[in-house]
Amino acid sequence: MFEWVTEFPKGIYLDIKKPIDQAIEYMMNNWGAFFDGISMFLRQILLWVQTVINSIPWWLMILAVLIGAWRATRNPLRALMYAAMLFFIGLIGLWSLMYTTLSIIITSVFISLVLGFPLGILISFSDRFGRFVRPILDTMQTMPSFVYLIPAVMLLGLGNVPAVIATVIYSMPPMVRMTNLGIRSVDREIVEASKAFGATRWQLLVKALIPQAMPTIMAGVNQTIMMAIAMVVTSSMIGARGLGSEVLTGINRLESGRGFAAGIAIVIMAVLIDRLTQGAYNKKEM
Amino acid sequence: MTPDTIQAMVETKDIILSVRNLTMMFGRKKQQAAQLRAEQKSKEEILKETGVTLAVDNISFDVERGKIHTLIGLSGSGKSTVVRCLNLLLTPTKGKILFEGKDIQTFNAQQLLNYRRKNVSMVFQSFGLLTHRNVLDNVAYGLEIRGVKKKDRIDRAMEMIEMVNLKGWENKSIDSLSGGMRQRVGIARALANNPDILLMDEPFSALDPLVRQDMQFELLSIQEKLNKTVVFITHDINEAFKLGNTISIMRDGRIVQTDVPEEMTSNPADEYVSDFINSADKAQVYQVKSFMQTPSCLVSLQDGANTALALMRIHNVSSAYVVDNKMNFVGVLPLDAAFQVREGKLSFKEALVNDTPTAKQDMQISDLIPIASQSRFPIAVLNDDGKFVGIISKAAILTSLK
């Protein structure tokens, strides 16, 4: 009689699975054109990025990393090491897969920045809007990504496009948060000074707030890139090609060597991108 | 002051800015707070009952064109709030602010921008400089906001940089400057707009005492040159008396007394004011050392006339101060005499004017007036051991006595 004290009562049950399924089915049936549009748009960007990346010969890429790392670290030995690491990816036969992965990452990061930066600015201006957006960002970051991979496939099909969307969902929040944080922590007197000289809101934003917040914003960009790289393997489960799918094949066929080779290539990519973008951001701070 | 006397002042003087019954409350229940205020409740009681901070409580004052008006009070007395109302960085809860007779709260958005761009500029306690820009671009900031062409704003900014003695630093980053230099940038930035009124919110409080004295002196000399109206906020009574043509003492959001310094000293409105004034080391305010400068042209006996001439040419002055190797003051070398030395007509020692008057650094400035009127040169200032420590110009003596 009192078993509801020790166990959750069996009599009450709320079914949220069915309405969610129905909602997604509804979207598939009725908003098809909309999702096709998104899909087409993303495919177009992706294609463009891929074309640009693929047109870069391997030696030019290595040279660019060498020069970039040199300028970022001012340490010729480290620059050489980074170039050698990149060469190693080609050496183990993963160069073209690496290019595919790089294209997906660049596209995702680009979209994350284009959406996240203005959103962060909006939040920094309005507490109310911030209170509304913050739980959404929390959900985006903590919801296991497999969960939204399923509807992404249903709505957008298999391949690189849903992978980009899943990656954007996962990697955009730090950009929004860091932009907001950076702008909010600009010195009060700098804001007052700008206003006191008769700056419009736009001038205040462009000439004072954004430049002053730049170090924090760049840290957000760096985090976004790292999160995007972290999604590479996960998104291969919905058909994204590249190094991630190589790892997945390794798992499916129990080929440790194949998995590790691709894994190492991902690690190298992450390290190189991180160092190079951080170098760019530290220089700005000086 | 009663409203009548204020009215009388308006009629006789050129008032550029007047503040009328300005009240500023922070909090939600402002109506209720106003009610309590009408019942003569204190600031603390209002805060306790309604959660409203009564920062500024029904104050009025006038600022005369071309004069320095200082607002002085302890921290929390509401003085920084008042100055932020003057360019509407804060919107007053009640009251009017009249700029040349126009109520600035009736300005539309564009008029307010123009008012801020052309009529008032502000200098901040912790400078408020844009650290991502160099000195030049900081000084040109206000002009850039206004849409002045690049070439023109750079010319104007360079002029201002020169005026605050930062020439040669225009391409340096803000981080590489000392506190005093940063505030010079802040002042140059404010002056670049050529505003009618300069609002200065404790501009020198973050600087160390020696630099502060330099900056006070520099402000006075700039003011003399440009004849700007200044509203100067400070918590330092010495600074208030040194700079202010008129002074308002604030306490708990109210103005206790507004007056010229001499009146305030001789007729303090109440005990609070007289205590406040007595806390000032009055003697020190008027001591010679507060107003002296380092001479740009100081040579030692061994240097000879050619060095002196070179220095005079660089600094564009017509006399050099000569000391021996122990910093004892020997005399003044005027430009014409220096030329005669070079031509061999006089020896270096003969050329020196050594009967020029000197002053002790802790002398009262008023004692210098008879000497100053006779001396051809700025007066050399010596310390107790007779060592040379600086010079004091006639202009400095006069500005100290206004």
Side-chain angles (χ1 to χ4, degrees), chain B residues 31-42 45-46 49-50:
Chain B
Q31 292 264 312
Q32 211 178 324
Q35 183 67 35
L36 290 176
R37 180 69 195 93
E39 292 163 16
Q40 304 296 322
K41 291 275 171 60
S42 77
E45 284 172 304
I46 293 172
E49 280 190 42
T50 62

Side-chain angles (χ1 to χ4, degrees), chain A residues 231-269:
Chain A
M231 275 295 278
V232 165
V233 176
T234 312
S235 61
S236 71
M237 300 184 78
I238 50 172
R241 278 172 290 277
L243 295 171
S245 65
E246 193 69 1
V247 173
L248 202 65
T249 317
I251 295 171
N252 290 339
R253 301 191 192 161
L254 295 177
E255 290 179 73
S256 305
R258 183 181 264 229
F260 264 109
I264 289 167
I266 293 174
V267 171
I268 291 175
M269 272 181 79

Side-chain angles (χ1 to χ4, degrees), chain B residues 213-231:
Chain B
Q213 287 188 0
D214 270 1
M215 296 294 289
Q216 288 164 350
F217 183 78
E218 202 151 313
L219 177 66
L220 284 175
S221 55
I222 287 173
Q223 210 264 347
E224 208 168 306
K225 250 182 268 176
L226 302 180
N227 215 19
K228 295 284 175 207
T229 310
V230 180
V231 178

Side-chain angles (χ1 to χ4, degrees), chain A residues 8 10 38 51 57-59 63 77 87 108 111 140 142-143 151-152 183-184 218 230 237 239 243 247 251 270 274 286:
Chain A
F8 197 86
K10 292 197 177 72
I38 291 183
T51 315
W58 65 272
W59 49 268
L63 197 67
L77 212 67
F87 183 77
S108 311
I111 293 169
M140 282 163 75
T142 49
M143 178 73 79
I183 286 184
R184 277 180 191 264
M218 289 310 289
M237 300 184 78
L243 295 171
V247 173
I251 295 171
D274 182 56
M286 267 168 17

